[in-house]
Amino acid sequence: GAVVSQHPSWVICKSGTSVKIECRSLDFQATTMFWYRQFPKQSLMLMATSNEGSKATYEQGVEKDKFLINHASLTLSTLTVTSAHPEDSSFYICSARADNRRVSGNTIYFGEGSWLTVV
Amino acid sequence: QKEVEQDPGPLSVPEGAIVSLNCTYSNSAFQYFMWYRQYSRKGPELLMYTYSSGNKEDGRFTAQVDKSSKYISLFIRDSQPSDSATYLCAPAGGATNKLIFGTGTLLAVQP
């Protein structure tokens, strides 16, 4: 089946530094990828929709200057948390939509997530 | 009103019990209805999905959608300790074409 790879699976960084998380679709092309954040014991909150070759679409309340998204190729989207602070510590998960398919049960594939801890 | 509402639980049942998990949603444009299972510290995995109203069965799992009342359910028969996880409902479709998750219900199946 389709695989989405996230890297790193976990990272610890110092407050004020920037961290980049990669999301790759390994065996399919994904013009559209989604980034979610999940705090402990809470649901996945959609942060932004990443579109290859264009600007990401951010959800209300998400700071686009803090969470930089780059979707430079059909198989790679990156999320950079800039000037990270302890409150940014969370589980970040990406998903990719197989090209030319509407969002439905069998067209969205999730990565394993990246744990970010800011100290 | 949230787009998707789900009882967060936790829900604790004995092994072998029938489990009923439910969600309500507000956007009548949703056409696809997914259930994801998420184990602790892991990404969500697709469990089942249905299109429009009706029932869908897969082994011990049955997904049910009632679009008229905007109500979706997941039933687990003969529940096992390995079913212990958080279950997230996620309707999709309409103009936005993105996946919106419910809060998730934490299920614990006691051996």
Side-chain angles (χ1 to χ4, degrees), chain A residues 16 28 44 58 67 69 75 87 90 93 97:
Chain A
F28 65 97
L44 285 79
Y58 290 82
F67 299 100
I69 291 173
T75 59
E87 57 265 31
S90 185
I93 305 173
R97 187 184 78 199

Side-chain angles (χ1 to χ4, degrees), chain A residues 34 36 38 42-44 46 49 59 91 93 97 101-106 108 110-113 115, chain B residues 31-32 34 36 38 41-44 46 49 88 92-95 97-104:
Chain A
F34 304 91
Y36 294 83
Q38 186 177 35
Q42 295 188 26
S43 187
L44 285 79
L46 181 64
T49 302
E59 295 298 302
F91 190 44
I93 305 173
R97 187 184 78 199
R101 304 291 296 275
R102 287 192 62 81
V103 169
S104 70
N106 61 349
I108 295 283
F110 281 85
E112 279 295 299
W115 282 97
Chain B
Q31 299 170 296
Y32 299 92
M34 278 70 75
Y36 287 85
Q38 185 179 26
R41 294 176 168 257
K42 294 287 188 181
L46 180 66
Y49 78 96
L88 302 132
N97 200 29
K98 57 188 177 184
L99 212 55
I100 303 296
F101 285 90
T103 52

